[in-house]
Amino acid sequence: MIAITLLLAGMERMFHLGFFNPQLGGDPILFQHLFWFYSHPRLHHDFAGMGVISEIIPTFARRPIFGYSFIAGSSIAIRRHRLLCLAHHMFLTGESTYAALTFSLLSYLVAIPSAVKVFN
């Protein structure tokens, strides 16, 4: 997805096509949607590193980790919520108040399993 976005942006610059330029009939919000469609799941994919750490530290410490089932469940919950709050970075793009409120609340829901993972 990011490759397509970069290709479209490059073609727009070189050939003056109007994919994202509103003066040429394009939509600048489309660039944000394409960018965040790739980048937002990638951002939450970085939380997988916390899962790896949750396996490595107990192995080398030779002690079981506290709340392993909660850590595994929080990883699954983060994965479920990652696409639901896709547009929470786009509050200033003219989305409706109800959409902004919905994405804001969904962002808070991602914080709960993230906190469970950190504190365990």
Side-chain angles (χ1 to χ4, degrees):
M1 186 58 72
I2 195 73
I4 293 170
T5 305
L6 291 174
L7 178 70
L8 291 175
M11 288 174 54
E12 182 175 15
R13 288 271 174 118
M14 287 193 286
F15 303 117
H16 301 290
L17 300 173
F19 296 117
F20 309 122
N21 189 351
Q23 295 171 345
L24 299 174
D27 185 12
I29 306 300
L30 176 63
F31 179 79
Q32 290 184 1
H33 280 295
L34 292 173
F35 176 77
W36 283 116
F37 188 78
Y38 163 78
S39 299
H40 199 264
R42 174 67 182 104
L43 172 76
H44 289 288
H45 182 72
D46 291 341
F47 287 131
M50 295 167 61
V52 171
I53 290 170
S54 299
E55 293 292 329
I56 291 174
I57 290 175
T59 299
F60 286 106
R62 294 191 177 105
R63 297 188 60 164
I65 193 164
F66 174 75
Y68 181 80
S69 61
F70 288 106
I71 291 175
S74 67
S75 297
I76 293 169
I78 288 171
R79 298 285 185 228
R80 283 187 189 153
H81 292 303
R82 72 179 180 201
L83 282 176
L84 295 177
C85 61
L86 183 63
H88 74 174
H89 298 281
M90 301 175 63
F91 289 126
L92 300 176
T93 60
E95 68 183 1
S96 72
T97 304
Y98 297 115
L101 179 65
T102 301
F103 288 122
S104 177
L105 292 174
L106 288 170
S107 298
Y108 288 129
L109 287 178
V110 172
I112 295 168
S114 298
V116 168
K117 187 177 283 233
V118 168
F119 291 123
N120 273 344

